[in-house]
Amino acid sequence: MTSQATVYVSSTCPYCTMMTNYLEEQKITYETINVSRDPEAGKHLVKTTGQMGVPQTKLNDVWILGFDPEGVQKALRGESQ
């Protein structure tokens, strides 16, 4: 199974960079959505997850809050948070 992730980031978030770097190291394809540049995406994110912080990553239909390598590995195994 090929994993696909969407990472919601902001322009000044070091943890966002850490998450995208980790996904690259794990060879996981991802799309980034910058909520600093797309406020509507930020509103949608809060409505969907109830969380305001970034990064938030949707990987294999599992939401991962923050920089959480263990959460990434669980999502890859099909485990929920």
Side-chain angles (χ1 to χ4, degrees):
M1 174 174 88
T2 302
S3 296
Q4 173 67 42
T6 302
V7 186
Y8 290 80
V9 301
S10 70
S11 299
T12 59
C13 169
Y15 294 102
C16 299
T17 301
M18 291 167 65
M19 179 57 100
T20 56
N21 287 344
Y22 183 75
L23 293 173
E24 288 174 11
E25 289 169 9
Q26 299 299 305
K27 305 209 181 329
I28 298 169
T29 304
Y30 66 90
E31 170 190 9
T32 56
I33 298 176
N34 189 319
V35 298
S36 298
R37 293 188 210 128
D38 186 349
E40 288 303 313
K43 290 177 188 175
H44 174 73
L45 182 64
V46 172
K47 185 176 179 181
T48 302
T49 67
Q51 300 289 327
M52 294 181 67
V54 288
Q56 288 191 54
T57 305
K58 187 174 185 183
L59 174 59
N60 296 340
D61 290 324
V62 175
W63 283 100
I64 303 160
L65 180 61
F67 173 61
D68 183 1
E70 184 178 328
V72 170
Q73 293 304 315
K74 283 182 177 181
L76 291 172
R77 292 190 301 265
E79 301 172 20
S80 60
Q81 292 284 41

Coordinates of all heavy atoms in Angstrom, one line a residue:
M1 N 0.8 -1.2 0.0 CA 0.0 0.0 0.0 C 0.9 1.2 0.0 O 1.8 1.3 0.8 CB -0.9 0.0 1.2 CG -1.7 1.2 1.4 SD -2.9 1.2 2.8 CE -1.9 1.7 4.1
T2 N 0.6 2.2 -0.9 CA 1.3 3.4 -0.9 C 0.6 4.4 0.0 O -0.6 4.6 0.0 CB 1.3 4.0 -2.3 OG1 1.9 3.1 -3.2 CG2 2.1 5.3 -2.4
S3 N 1.4 5.0 0.9 CA 0.8 5.9 1.9 C 0.8 7.3 1.3 O 1.8 7.7 0.6 CB 1.6 5.9 3.2 OG 1.5 4.6 3.8
Q4 N -0.2 8.1 1.6 CA -0.3 9.5 1.2 C -0.7 10.3 2.4 O -1.6 9.9 3.1 CB -1.4 9.6 0.1 CG -1.7 11.0 -0.3 CD -0.6 11.7 -1.0 OE1 0.1 11.2 -1.9 NE2 -0.3 13.0 -0.7
A5 N 0.0 11.4 2.6 CA -0.3 12.3 3.7 C -0.6 13.7 3.2 O -0.1 14.1 2.2 CB 0.9 12.3 4.6
T6 N -1.4 14.4 4.1 CA -1.6 15.8 3.9 C -1.1 16.4 5.2 O -1.6 16.0 6.3 CB -3.1 16.1 3.7 OG1 -3.5 15.4 2.5 CG2 -3.3 17.6 3.5
V7 N -0.2 17.4 5.1 CA 0.3 18.1 6.3 C -0.1 19.5 6.3 O 0.2 20.3 5.3 CB 1.9 18.0 6.3 CG1 2.4 18.5 7.6 CG2 2.3 16.5 6.1
Y8 N -0.8 19.9 7.3 CA -1.2 21.3 7.5 C -0.1 22.0 8.3 O 0.3 21.5 9.4 CB -2.6 21.4 8.2 CG -3.7 20.9 7.4 CD1 -4.0 19.6 7.2 CD2 -4.5 21.8 6.7 CE1 -5.0 19.1 6.4 CE2 -5.6 21.4 5.9 CZ -5.8 20.0 5.8 OH -6.9 19.6 5.0
V9 N 0.4 23.1 7.7 CA 1.6 23.8 8.3 C 1.3 25.3 8.4 O 0.3 25.8 7.8 CB 2.8 23.5 7.4 CG1 3.2 22.0 7.3 CG2 2.7 24.1 6.0
S10 N 2.2 26.0 9.0 CA 2.2 27.4 9.0 C 3.6 27.8 8.5 O 4.6 27.0 8.6 CB 1.8 28.1 10.3 OG 2.9 27.9 11.3
S11 N 3.8 29.1 8.2 CA 5.0 29.6 7.6 C 6.2 29.6 8.6 O 7.3 29.5 8.2 CB 4.8 31.0 7.0 OG 3.9 30.9 6.0
T12 N 5.9 29.7 9.9 CA 6.9 29.9 10.9 C 7.0 28.8 11.9 O 7.6 28.9 13.0 CB 6.6 31.2 11.7 OG1 5.4 31.1 12.3 CG2 6.7 32.4 10.8
C13 N 6.5 27.6 11.5 CA 6.4 26.5 12.5 C 7.6 25.5 12.3 O 7.7 24.8 11.3 CB 5.1 25.7 12.2 SG 5.0 24.2 13.0
P14 N 8.5 25.5 13.3 CA 9.7 24.5 13.2 C 9.2 23.1 13.2 O 9.8 22.2 12.6 CB 10.6 24.9 14.3 CG 9.7 25.6 15.3 CD 8.6 26.3 14.5
Y15 N 8.2 22.8 14.0 CA 7.7 21.4 14.1 C 7.1 20.9 12.8 O 7.1 19.7 12.4 CB 6.7 21.2 15.2 CG 7.4 21.5 16.6 CD1 7.2 22.6 17.2 CD2 8.2 20.5 17.1 CE1 7.8 22.9 18.5 CE2 8.8 20.7 18.3 CZ 8.6 21.9 19.0 OH 9.3 22.1 20.2
C16 N 6.6 21.8 12.0 CA 6.0 21.5 10.7 C 7.2 21.0 9.8 O 7.0 20.0 9.1 CB 5.3 22.7 10.1 SG 3.9 23.3 11.0
T17 N 8.3 21.8 9.8 CA 9.5 21.4 9.0 C 10.0 20.0 9.5 O 10.3 19.2 8.7 CB 10.6 22.5 9.2 OG1 10.0 23.7 8.7 CG2 11.8 22.1 8.3
M18 N 10.0 19.8 10.8 CA 10.4 18.5 11.3 C 9.5 17.4 10.8 O 10.0 16.3 10.4 CB 10.5 18.5 12.8 CG 11.5 19.4 13.4 SD 11.4 19.8 15.2 CE 11.6 18.2 15.9
M19 N 8.2 17.6 10.8 CA 7.3 16.6 10.3 C 7.5 16.3 8.8 O 7.6 15.1 8.4 CB 5.9 17.0 10.6 CG 4.8 16.0 10.1 SD 5.1 14.3 10.8 CE 3.8 14.4 12.1
T20 N 7.6 17.3 8.0 CA 7.8 17.1 6.6 C 9.1 16.4 6.3 O 9.2 15.6 5.4 CB 7.6 18.4 5.7 OG1 8.5 19.4 6.2 CG2 6.2 18.9 5.8
N21 N 10.1 16.8 7.0 CA 11.4 16.2 6.9 C 11.4 14.7 7.2 O 11.9 13.8 6.5 CB 12.5 16.8 7.7 CG 12.9 18.2 7.1 OD1 12.7 18.5 6.0 ND2 13.6 19.0 8.0
Y22 N 10.6 14.4 8.3 CA 10.5 13.0 8.7 C 9.7 12.2 7.7 O 10.1 11.1 7.4 CB 9.7 12.9 10.1 CG 9.6 11.5 10.6 CD1 10.7 10.9 11.2 CD2 8.4 10.8 10.5 CE1 10.6 9.6 11.6 CE2 8.3 9.5 11.0 CZ 9.4 8.9 11.5 OH 9.3 7.6 12.0
L23 N 8.7 12.8 7.1 CA 7.9 12.1 6.1 C 8.8 11.8 4.9 O 8.7 10.7 4.3 CB 6.7 12.9 5.7 CG 5.6 13.0 6.8 CD1 4.5 13.9 6.3 CD2 5.0 11.6 7.1
E24 N 9.6 12.8 4.5 CA 10.6 12.5 3.4 C 11.5 11.4 3.7 O 11.8 10.6 2.9 CB 11.3 13.8 3.1 CG 10.4 14.9 2.4 CD 11.1 16.2 2.2 OE1 12.3 16.3 2.4 OE2 10.4 17.2 1.9
E25 N 12.1 11.4 5.0 CA 13.0 10.3 5.3 C 12.3 9.0 5.3 O 13.0 8.0 4.9 CB 13.5 10.6 6.8 CG 14.4 11.7 6.9 CD 14.6 12.1 8.4 OE1 14.2 11.3 9.3 OE2 15.2 13.1 8.7
Q26 N 11.0 8.9 5.6 CA 10.3 7.7 5.5 C 9.8 7.3 4.1 O 9.1 6.3 3.9 CB 9.1 7.7 6.5 CG 9.5 7.9 8.0 CD 10.4 6.8 8.5 OE1 10.0 5.6 8.4 NE2 11.5 7.1 9.0
K27 N 10.1 8.2 3.2 CA 9.7 8.1 1.8 C 8.1 8.0 1.6 O 7.6 7.2 0.9 CB 10.3 6.9 1.1 CG 11.8 6.9 1.2 CD 12.5 6.2 0.2 CE 14.0 6.2 0.2 NZ 14.7 7.3 0.8
I28 N 7.5 8.9 2.4 CA 6.0 9.0 2.4 C 5.7 10.3 1.5 O 6.2 11.4 1.8 CB 5.4 9.2 3.8 CG1 5.7 7.9 4.6 CG2 3.9 9.4 3.7 CD1 5.4 8.0 6.1
T29 N 4.9 10.1 0.5 CA 4.5 11.2 -0.3 C 3.5 12.0 0.5 O 2.6 11.5 1.2 CB 3.8 10.7 -1.6 OG1 4.7 9.8 -2.3 CG2 3.4 11.8 -2.5
Y30 N 3.6 13.3 0.4 CA 2.7 14.2 1.1 C 2.4 15.5 0.4 O 3.2 15.9 -0.5 CB 3.3 14.6 2.5 CG 4.5 15.4 2.5 CD1 4.5 16.8 2.5 CD2 5.8 14.8 2.4 CE1 5.7 17.5 2.5 CE2 7.0 15.5 2.4 CZ 6.9 16.9 2.4 OH 8.0 17.6 2.4
E31 N 1.3 16.1 0.7 CA 1.0 17.4 0.2 C 1.0 18.3 1.4 O 0.5 17.9 2.5 CB -0.5 17.3 -0.4 CG -1.1 18.7 -0.7 CD -2.5 18.6 -1.1 OE1 -3.2 17.5 -0.9 OE2 -3.1 19.6 -1.5
T32 N 1.4 19.6 1.2 CA 1.4 20.5 2.3 C 0.3 21.6 2.0 O 0.1 22.0 0.9 CB 2.7 21.3 2.6 OG1 3.1 21.9 1.4 CG2 3.8 20.3 3.1
I33 N -0.4 21.9 3.1 CA -1.4 23.0 3.0 C -1.0 24.0 4.1 O -0.9 23.7 5.3 CB -2.8 22.5 3.2 CG1 -3.2 21.6 2.1 CG2 -3.8 23.7 3.3 CD1 -4.5 20.9 2.3
N34 N -0.6 25.2 3.6 CA -0.1 26.3 4.5 C -1.3 27.1 5.0 O -1.9 27.9 4.2 CB 0.9 27.1 3.8 CG 1.6 28.1 4.8 OD1 1.0 28.7 5.7 ND2 2.9 28.2 4.6
V35 N -1.7 27.0 6.3 CA -2.8 27.7 6.8 C -2.5 29.2 7.0 O -3.5 30.0 7.1 CB -3.4 27.0 8.1 CG1 -3.8 25.6 7.8 CG2 -2.3 27.1 9.2
S36 N -1.3 29.6 7.0 CA -0.9 31.0 7.0 C -1.3 31.7 5.7 O -1.8 32.8 5.7 CB 0.6 31.2 7.2 OG 1.0 30.6 8.5
R37 N -1.2 30.9 4.6 CA -1.5 31.5 3.3 C -3.0 31.2 2.9 O -3.5 31.8 1.9 CB -0.6 30.9 2.3 CG 0.8 31.4 2.5 CD 1.7 31.0 1.3 NE 3.1 30.8 1.8 CZ 3.8 29.8 1.6 NH1 3.3 28.8 0.9 NH2 5.0 29.7 2.1
D38 N -3.6 30.2 3.5 CA -4.9 29.8 3.2 C -5.8 29.7 4.4 O -6.0 28.6 5.0 CB -4.8 28.4 2.5 CG -6.2 27.9 1.9 OD1 -7.2 28.5 2.2 OD2 -6.2 27.0 1.2
P39 N -6.3 30.8 4.9 CA -7.1 30.9 6.1 C -8.3 30.0 6.1 O -8.7 29.4 7.1 CB -7.5 32.3 6.3 CG -6.6 33.1 5.4 CD -6.1 32.2 4.3
E40 N -8.9 29.8 4.9 CA -10.1 28.9 4.8 C -9.7 27.5 5.1 O -10.5 26.7 5.7 CB -10.7 29.0 3.4 CG -11.5 30.3 3.1 CD -12.6 30.6 4.2 OE1 -13.4 29.7 4.5 OE2 -12.6 31.7 4.7
A41 N -8.5 27.1 4.6 CA -8.1 25.7 5.0 C -7.9 25.6 6.5 O -8.2 24.5 7.1 CB -6.8 25.4 4.2
G42 N -7.4 26.6 7.1 CA -7.2 26.6 8.6 C -8.6 26.5 9.3 O -8.7 25.7 10.2
K43 N -9.6 27.2 8.8 CA -10.9 27.1 9.4 C -11.5 25.7 9.2 O -12.1 25.1 10.1 CB -11.9 28.1 8.7 CG -11.6 29.5 9.1 CD -12.5 30.4 8.4 CE -12.1 31.9 8.6 NZ -13.0 32.8 7.8
H44 N -11.3 25.1 8.0 CA -11.7 23.7 7.7 C -11.0 22.7 8.7 O -11.6 21.8 9.2 CB -11.5 23.4 6.3 CG -11.8 22.0 5.9 ND1 -13.1 21.5 5.9 CD2 -11.0 20.9 5.7 CE1 -13.1 20.2 5.6 NE2 -11.8 19.8 5.5
L45 N -9.7 23.0 8.9 CA -8.9 22.1 9.7 C -9.5 22.1 11.2 O -9.7 21.0 11.8 CB -7.5 22.5 9.7 CG -6.5 21.7 10.5 CD1 -6.4 20.2 10.0 CD2 -5.1 22.3 10.6
V46 N -9.7 23.3 11.7 CA -10.3 23.4 13.1 C -11.6 22.7 13.2 O -11.9 22.0 14.1 CB -10.3 24.9 13.5 CG1 -11.0 25.0 14.8 CG2 -8.9 25.4 13.6
K47 N -12.5 22.9 12.1 CA -13.8 22.3 12.1 C -13.7 20.8 12.1 O -14.5 20.1 12.7 CB -14.6 22.9 10.9 CG -16.0 22.4 10.9 CD -16.8 23.0 9.7 CE -18.2 22.5 9.7 NZ -18.9 23.1 8.5
T48 N -12.7 20.3 11.3 CA -12.6 18.9 11.1 C -12.0 18.2 12.4 O -12.5 17.1 12.8 CB -11.7 18.6 9.9 OG1 -12.3 19.2 8.8 CG2 -11.5 17.1 9.7
T49 N -11.0 18.8 12.9 CA -10.2 18.1 14.0 C -10.5 18.7 15.4 O -10.2 18.0 16.4 CB -8.7 18.2 13.8 OG1 -8.3 19.5 13.9 CG2 -8.3 17.6 12.4
G50 N -11.0 19.9 15.5 CA -11.2 20.6 16.7 C -9.9 21.1 17.3 O -9.8 21.6 18.4
Q51 N -8.8 21.0 16.6 CA -7.5 21.5 17.0 C -7.0 22.7 16.2 O -7.2 22.7 15.0 CB -6.4 20.4 16.8 CG -6.8 19.1 17.6 CD -6.6 19.3 19.1 OE1 -5.7 20.0 19.6 NE2 -7.4 18.6 19.9
M52 N -6.3 23.6 16.9 CA -5.9 24.8 16.2 C -4.4 24.8 15.9 O -3.9 25.6 15.1 CB -6.1 26.1 17.0 CG -7.6 26.3 17.2 SD -8.0 27.8 18.1 CE -7.4 29.1 17.1
G53 N -3.6 23.9 16.5 CA -2.2 23.9 16.3 C -1.8 23.2 15.0 O -2.5 22.4 14.4
V54 N -0.6 23.4 14.6 CA 0.1 22.8 13.5 C 1.4 22.3 13.9 O 2.0 22.8 14.9 CB 0.2 23.7 12.2 CG1 -1.1 24.0 11.6 CG2 0.9 25.0 12.6
P55 N 2.0 21.3 13.3 CA 1.4 20.6 12.2 C 0.3 19.6 12.6 O 0.3 19.1 13.7 CB 2.6 19.8 11.6 CG 3.5 19.5 12.8 CD 3.3 20.7 13.7
Q56 N -0.6 19.4 11.7 CA -1.6 18.3 11.7 C -1.4 17.6 10.4 O -1.4 18.2 9.4 CB -3.0 18.9 11.9 CG -3.2 19.5 13.3 CD -4.7 19.8 13.5 OE1 -5.5 18.9 13.4 NE2 -5.0 21.0 13.9
T57 N -1.3 16.3 10.6 CA -1.1 15.4 9.4 C -2.2 14.4 9.3 O -2.5 13.7 10.3 CB 0.3 14.7 9.6 OG1 1.3 15.7 9.8 CG2 0.6 13.9 8.4
K58 N -2.7 14.3 8.2 CA -3.7 13.2 7.9 C -3.0 12.1 7.1 O -2.5 12.4 5.9 CB -4.9 13.7 7.2 CG -6.0 12.6 7.0 CD -7.3 13.2 6.4 CE -8.3 12.1 6.4 NZ -9.6 12.6 5.8
L59 N -2.8 11.0 7.6 CA -2.0 9.9 7.0 C -2.9 8.6 7.1 O -3.2 8.1 8.2 CB -0.7 9.7 7.7 CG 0.2 8.5 7.3 CD1 0.6 8.6 5.8 CD2 1.4 8.4 8.1
N60 N -3.2 8.1 5.9 CA -4.0 6.9 5.9 C -5.3 7.0 6.7 O -5.7 6.2 7.5 CB -3.2 5.7 6.3 CG -2.1 5.4 5.4 OD1 -2.1 5.8 4.2 ND2 -1.1 4.7 5.8
D61 N -5.9 8.2 6.6 CA -7.2 8.5 7.3 C -7.0 8.6 8.8 O -8.0 8.5 9.6 CB -8.3 7.6 7.0 CG -8.8 7.8 5.5 OD1 -8.8 8.9 5.1 OD2 -9.1 6.8 4.9
V62 N -5.8 8.8 9.3 CA -5.5 9.0 10.7 C -5.0 10.4 10.9 O -4.0 10.7 10.2 CB -4.5 7.9 11.3 CG1 -4.2 8.2 12.7 CG2 -5.1 6.5 11.1
W63 N -5.5 11.1 11.9 CA -5.0 12.4 12.2 C -3.9 12.4 13.2 O -4.1 11.7 14.2 CB -6.1 13.4 12.7 CG -7.0 13.9 11.6 CD1 -8.2 13.4 11.2 CD2 -6.7 14.9 10.7 NE1 -8.7 14.1 10.1 CE2 -7.8 15.0 9.8 CE3 -5.6 15.8 10.5 CZ2 -7.8 16.0 8.8 CZ3 -5.7 16.7 9.5 CH2 -6.8 16.8 8.7
I64 N -2.8 13.1 12.9 CA -1.6 13.1 13.8 C -1.4 14.6 14.2 O -1.2 15.4 13.3 CB -0.4 12.5 13.2 CG1 -0.7 11.1 12.7 CG2 0.8 12.6 14.1 CD1 0.3 10.5 11.6
L65 N -1.4 14.9 15.5 CA -1.2 16.2 15.9 C 0.2 16.4 16.3 O 0.8 15.6 17.1 CB -2.1 16.6 17.1 CG -2.0 18.0 17.7 CD1 -2.4 19.0 16.6 CD2 -3.0 18.1 18.9
G66 N 0.9 17.5 15.8 CA 2.2 17.8 16.2 C 3.2 17.0 15.4 O 2.9 16.2 14.5
F67 N 4.5 17.1 15.8 CA 5.6 16.3 15.3 C 5.6 15.0 16.1 O 6.0 15.0 17.3 CB 6.9 17.0 15.3 CG 8.1 16.1 15.0 CD1 8.1 15.6 13.7 CD2 9.1 15.8 15.9 CE1 9.2 14.7 13.3 CE2 10.1 15.0 15.5 CZ 10.2 14.5 14.2
D68 N 5.1 13.9 15.5 CA 4.9 12.7 16.3 C 5.3 11.5 15.4 O 4.5 10.8 14.8 CB 3.4 12.6 16.7 CG 3.1 11.4 17.5 OD1 4.0 10.6 17.8 OD2 1.9 11.2 17.8
P69 N 6.6 11.2 15.4 CA 7.1 10.0 14.6 C 6.4 8.7 15.0 O 6.1 7.9 14.1 CB 8.6 10.0 14.9 CG 8.9 11.4 15.3 CD 7.7 11.9 16.0
E70 N 6.1 8.5 16.3 CA 5.4 7.3 16.7 C 4.0 7.3 16.1 O 3.5 6.2 15.7 CB 5.3 7.2 18.2 CG 4.7 6.0 18.7 CD 4.7 5.9 20.2 OE1 5.6 6.4 20.9 OE2 3.8 5.3 20.8
G71 N 3.3 8.4 16.1 CA 2.0 8.5 15.5 C 2.0 8.2 14.0 O 1.1 7.5 13.5
V72 N 3.1 8.6 13.3 CA 3.2 8.3 11.9 C 3.4 6.8 11.7 O 2.7 6.2 10.9 CB 4.5 9.0 11.3 CG1 4.8 8.5 9.9 CG2 4.2 10.5 11.3
Q73 N 4.2 6.2 12.5 CA 4.4 4.7 12.4 C 3.1 3.9 12.7 O 2.8 3.0 12.1 CB 5.6 4.3 13.3 CG 6.9 4.8 12.9 CD 7.3 4.5 11.5 OE1 7.1 3.3 11.1 NE2 7.8 5.5 10.8
K74 N 2.4 4.4 13.7 CA 1.1 3.7 14.0 C 0.1 3.9 12.8 O -0.5 2.9 12.5 CB 0.4 4.4 15.2 CG 1.1 3.9 16.5 CD 0.3 4.6 17.7 CE 0.9 4.1 19.0 NZ 0.1 4.7 20.2
A75 N 0.1 5.0 12.2 CA -0.8 5.2 11.1 C -0.4 4.3 9.9 O -1.2 3.8 9.2 CB -0.8 6.7 10.6
L76 N 0.9 4.2 9.7 CA 1.4 3.3 8.7 C 1.0 1.8 8.9 O 0.8 1.1 8.0 CB 2.9 3.4 8.5 CG 3.5 4.7 8.0 CD1 5.0 4.8 8.1 CD2 3.0 5.0 6.6
R77 N 0.9 1.5 10.2 CA 0.5 0.1 10.5 C -1.0 -0.1 10.6 O -1.5 -1.1 10.8 CB 1.1 -0.3 11.9 CG 2.6 -0.4 11.9 CD 3.1 -1.1 13.2 NE 2.7 -0.3 14.4 CZ 3.5 0.6 15.0 NH1 4.7 0.9 14.5 NH2 3.1 1.2 16.1
G78 N -1.7 1.1 10.3 CA -3.2 1.0 10.3 C -3.8 1.1 11.7 O -5.0 0.8 11.9
E79 N -3.0 1.6 12.7 CA -3.5 1.8 14.0 C -4.0 3.2 14.2 O -3.4 4.1 13.7 CB -2.4 1.5 15.1 CG -1.8 0.1 15.0 CD -0.6 -0.1 15.9 OE1 -0.4 0.7 16.8 OE2 0.1 -1.0 15.7
S80 N -5.0 3.4 14.9 CA -5.5 4.8 15.2 C -4.8 5.3 16.4 O -4.2 4.6 17.2 CB -7.0 4.8 15.4 OG -7.4 4.0 16.5
Q81 N -4.8 6.6 16.5 CA -4.2 7.3 17.7 C -4.8 7.0 19.0 O -5.9 6.8 19.1 CB -4.2 8.8 17.4 CG -3.3 9.2 16.3 CD -1.8 9.2 16.6 OE1 -1.3 8.3 17.3 NE2 -1.1 10.1 16.1

